[in-house]
Structure formats: C-alpha cells, structure tokens
Amino acid sequence: MDNKRYSIKTVLMPNGERLPLLIGPSGIPVHEVAIYVMAEIRGSNKAGNTIVQVLQAIRVLYIFLETRGLVMERRLAQGEILTLPEIQALVHYCKLPFKHIKENSDQPGTTSSGKIIPLEKVRQTLSANTTPMVSPLVAATRLIYIRNYLSSLSRTWAYKYGYGSNERENLIVAGEDLMQMINSRLPSLNRHGTRQEREGLSSSDLERLFAVIAPDSPRNPWRSNHGKARNELLILWLYYLGLRRGELLTITVSDVSFFEKNVLVARRADNPKDPRTNQPLTKTKARKLPIGDWLLGKTEEYIKLSRSLFKQARKHEFLFVAEGGAPLSMSACNKIFAELRERCPDLPRNLFPHIFRHTWNDRFSEIADSKQFSEAEEMKMRSHLMGWSETSGTAALYTKRHTRHKANEALLEMQKQIQISAGVPDE
C-alpha cells in the first residue's frame, strides 16, 4: 500500500489563514476529517501547526484501516468501531516510524479477512519485532489524537439515530469502550518516576561548534558567503536569546531596534504577509528582549552586506532569508543543522535548533547562581525571557534540574572528603 494515497496539504487562504487538509486516494479532502478539523480543532482556535499534528495521526489511522480492508463508515453503521485485537494492533502501529508504517501492513491483531489472531501470538510477534520505534511521547500523541477523532466520529453517527434506538445506544457504548481501551494502552511517559530531560550543549561542544561555523573556518560546511554569514548569525541568535525555531523565523528587520538595542518577539498567526505555507509561529508570549552590542553589530552586518544582495528580500521584512531572498522556511532551517551534523561528525548528534533553548536555560541557571537570585526571582525572570506564563511551571523544571545538578556535585564532593578522611587513595 502506497502511503502517498493519503497526504496532508495546507491551503493558504487570501486572509493569511493556513488550513491543513487530509487528502484521500481520490485526490480530494477526506470529508469526515475536514468536518472534524473545522468544527473541533480549528473551531477551538488551534494553530495550523497543531492541526498538521492532528492530521498526521489521523493519516496513520486511515493507512492502518486501509491495510486491513476496514471501512469505518460500515463499522459505524453497524454500531461498532474497532475490536480489541484491532486496537492492540493500532497501538503497535502508532509506535512505528512513519517510513516503516507502509512496510507493516500485516501487523498482528486482525487479518485482512477480519480473522482474530490469538493474543499470545500478538505478544510473541511484538516482542520479536526489531523495527525501530518512535518515542513514547510521539506514540501517545498519535493515539490521543486518533482516540479523540474516533470518539467524535462515533458521537456524530450516534446523533443520526433517535433517542432510545439500539443503534444510538450501541455507538455511545462503543465510543466509551474505545476511549477506555486506548487510554489503558497509552505508552507510559514517566516509567521510572523521573522526567527525561534534554541537557544543553557543554562548553566544549559550543567551542567546537563556533569554530566550525565561523565564516572563515576551513571546516565551514556552506559554500556561499551569504549562507556562511546567515547560518552563523542564526545559531548565535538561538544561543544568545534562547528562541524557538519558529520564533526566530518570524523576526522581521523592523522588529530589531538598533536604537533601543532590543528585539520584539511577536505573535503573528495567519500573517497574510508571510508567503510560507508552513508558517513559523511564536508559541509563547510576545516580549521584548535586549540585544548586546556585539550581536547587534553582527545582525546589522548581515542585513547590510548579505541580505541586501537579494532583490526578493526587499519584498518582505523577515530577517533570515534563503538563497534568492525568500523568507527562510522551517525545513530549510532544519537542513542547516542536518548539514552540520552530517559534515562535522565530531559535533553532537543532538544538534537541533531546540537544543540551544536548553543550553540557554543552563547558562541562565549559572548566572542566577552567581547573582544569588532567589528561586522565586529566578523563575519569574526565566518565565519572562522565555515567554512562559509565570503559572505554567515550565521555569520550575529548569530550576529543579539545576538544583539537582548542584546536589549531585555536592554529594560527589562529600564522598571525596570521606574518602580522604578514611585514608583511601585516589585511583
């Protein structure tokens, strides 16, 4: 089965609104999915990028159904949704990387004829499966979006029948059962009672990185002078300001105040002046951030000596541009880091745009220690600079992580002192 039979396309409306759609094998949007997106996802003011995530999960569902010859409309007309073996197979399906999904059309649970496979055989097949799996968070997110969609679909069909009818009651019960069965099978995100946190780059990692991206470095992986200047500045902005990738790509030249020495990080969802179909977005609160003289000088140099060379760049205000002058896209930004990881294998393998946000928070914790900020002061300042709500609790996670690091260092120092006092020599 060709996974291109289901695709996601984003329609750019004249008012700047981005409307992602799931396109079916016929080449037109899947009707039920389009109605669901408009009524329940877009209707709750979710951003276009969130809708794409929802559609990616629903796309997995439709590929799953097609590989098994299942037609959801027929099931719903019979007052049914998915059987337990089918849900078990769907849970496993959602754990697969998308590139492997089309290769797994014969997963355990049910056959194309609908024959139920014993549960013990399902377990044996799953344990023997050596296919790489996505993270528990990705699998759980897929299942939650699929669960919500199927639950909504079952309610819609139930409302077609009169109160007290068997069909209505069967669909209501089937929807409740589906919710319970999927909920009980969601991958655990906190298996050992500790939060899996990504650490920032170390000082040695940063030293190697900055040596590589210097425009005059012989190891610099980019050829054009514009590419070298832009990519260095882009990475410096991520590191110095702790911005998200989407926030960075929404910055315009006029957002940078060279007189006040700051930058406005603004929210501009569905911006009609942004020609990018996959529009970069600012997820956090709008805010102004100060910029130091050196970074401000590098930015001015890029605008005057590199960005200005492209005629197309004069048609818009976005700070970072592609070769040719169009606004830099999300995928092009990702490619910059992919090229770095590929051509400079001594750099960290986790070198993605978001790692600099973690790195920034690590450095801020060190500054907070040196300035002797109270925990409350540190969290308030961190929340403001990162664009988080003070009640979100995100800042507290970084504060707690830094506290744990300090506690671990103190414990190791204490062990060393005990070792010395006991006369045990260092190995």
Side-chain angles (χ1 to χ4, degrees):
M1 197 276 299
D2 184 358
N3 65 12
K4 291 183 179 179
R5 286 169 60 80
Y6 287 96
S7 61
I8 298 172
K9 294 184 179 179
T10 299
V11 178
L12 180 57
M13 311 296 283
N15 64 353
E17 180 180 359
R18 274 78 174 168
L19 182 60
L21 296 168
L22 180 66
I23 308 300
S26 63
I28 63 175
V30 179
H31 178 73
E32 296 81 4
V33 179
I35 295 298
Y36 172 72
V37 165
M38 293 295 294
E40 300 199 25
I41 308 301
R42 193 63 174 177
S44 58
N45 294 322
K46 293 293 190 298
N49 291 346
T50 301
I51 297 177
V52 170
Q53 288 185 331
V54 173
L55 291 180
Q56 286 171 342
I58 297 177
R59 181 188 185 191
V60 171
L61 169 67
Y62 273 81
I63 294 173
F64 170 82
L65 295 174
E66 185 171 286
T67 59
R68 284 154 179 76
L70 301 175
V71 180
M72 188 52 59
E73 289 77 7
R74 294 178 187 170
R75 287 290 183 89
L76 292 167
Q78 297 169 358
E80 301 173 353
I81 307 179
L82 293 175
T83 65
L84 176 58
E86 288 165 351
I87 289 177
Q88 290 173 323
L90 176 61
V91 170
H92 177 69
Y93 212 70
C94 286
K95 296 178 181 179
L96 298 173
F98 192 80
K99 64 181 181 179
H100 292 295
I101 282 179
K102 65 177 181 179
E103 302 169 4
N104 285 268
S105 59
D106 190 25
Q107 290 299 317
T110 60
T111 65
S112 58
S113 63
K115 180 180 178 181
I116 297 177
I117 298 176
L119 183 58
E120 186 58 35
K121 188 173 181 179
V122 172
R123 291 173 177 160
Q124 291 173 358
T125 305
L126 290 176
S127 62
N129 195 321
T130 58
T131 301
M133 300 293 180
V134 298
S135 70
L137 178 60
V138 171
T141 301
R142 283 177 176 174
L143 284 166
I144 289 170
Y145 286 146
I146 289 172
R147 176 201 67 190
N148 293 346
Y149 170 68
L150 289 177
S151 176
S152 173
L153 202 57
S154 67
R155 290 195 306 269
T156 300
W157 275 74
Y159 295 154
K160 295 180 180 180
Y161 302 105
Y163 284 100
S165 65
N166 290 334
E167 294 86 353
R168 183 186 181 95
E169 295 301 321
N170 288 342
L171 278 173
I172 290 175
V173 172
E176 293 173 350
D177 288 346
L178 174 92
M179 294 280 285
Q180 182 178 357
M181 287 189 288
I182 291 183
N183 287 344
S184 64
R185 289 164 176 80
L186 289 175
S188 174
L189 304 181
N190 199 20
R191 183 178 178 184
H192 299 293
T194 57
R195 180 183 175 87
Q196 296 297 318
E197 299 165 340
R198 285 193 290 177
E199 302 287 342
L201 299 173
S202 67
S203 297
S204 58
D205 290 336
L206 289 168
E207 185 177 349
R208 290 198 305 274
L209 173 64
F210 292 140
V212 166
I213 66 173
D216 59 351
S217 169
R219 297 190 62 203
N220 191 298
W222 303 290
R223 294 182 179 180
S224 73
N225 290 331
H226 169 258
K228 292 178 179 180
R230 179 201 62 199
N231 297 345
E232 181 194 33
L233 183 66
L234 184 146
I235 290 172
L236 290 173
W237 268 65
L238 289 172
Y239 175 59
Y240 276 77
L241 299 177
L243 298 176
R244 292 178 181 271
R245 176 191 56 172
E247 292 174 333
L248 181 70
L249 298 182
T250 63
I251 299 295
T252 66
V253 174
S254 59
D255 287 333
V256 183
S257 173
F258 292 93
F259 177 74
E260 297 180 354
K261 300 182 180 181
N262 62 32
V263 60
L264 171 65
V265 182
R267 294 175 62 89
R268 299 187 179 99
D270 296 328
N271 180 6
K273 295 181 180 180
D274 191 337
R276 294 168 288 194
T277 302
N278 183 17
Q279 183 192 6
L281 294 172
T282 298
K283 294 184 178 181
T284 49
K285 295 168 61 177
R287 59 206 185 274
K288 282 189 176 182
L289 300 176
I291 306 180
D293 291 337
W294 181 77
L295 184 58
L296 205 61
K298 295 281 288 187
T299 303
E300 185 176 17
E301 181 180 318
Y302 167 70
I303 294 172
K304 292 181 177 180
L305 302 182
S306 296
R307 186 185 183 279
S308 63
L309 297 178
F310 302 110
K311 291 183 179 180
Q312 190 175 351
R314 302 170 194 168
K315 298 179 181 180
H316 64 84
E317 277 212 315
F318 294 102
L319 176 61
F320 292 98
V321 300
E323 299 293 339
L328 190 68
S329 66
M330 301 275 274
S331 58
C333 181
N334 290 340
K335 186 178 179 181
I336 291 171
F337 289 88
E339 288 173 341
L340 267 175
R341 294 191 303 271
E342 178 183 353
R343 300 183 189 181
C344 305
D346 58 319
L347 293 176
R349 305 316 299 163
N350 63 343
L351 189 61
F352 296 92
H354 203 75
I355 194 67
F356 292 97
R357 198 160 168 88
H358 296 287
T359 307
W360 184 96
N361 274 283
D362 290 345
R363 298 298 176 267
F364 185 78
S365 294
E366 295 171 3
I367 294 295
D369 276 355
S370 66
K371 298 292 185 181
Q372 297 183 336
F373 296 147
S374 69
E375 184 174 320
E377 288 175 326
E378 179 182 346
M379 286 194 293
K380 283 186 177 181
M381 288 186 286
R382 192 192 300 269
S383 294
H384 166 70
L385 295 171
M386 291 283 95
W388 298 321
S389 166
E390 290 186 14
T391 59
S392 71
T394 310
L397 294 175
Y398 285 100
T399 304
K400 289 178 180 178
R401 188 176 78 180
H402 186 59
T403 300
R404 185 172 68 250
H405 285 175
K406 292 194 295 183
N408 290 341
E409 291 174 359
L411 178 58
L412 290 174
E413 179 63 27
M414 185 177 72
Q415 292 175 14
K416 186 175 181 179
Q417 291 178 4
I418 294 173
Q419 176 183 340
I420 293 173
S421 63
V424 178
D426 289 333
E427 295 184 356

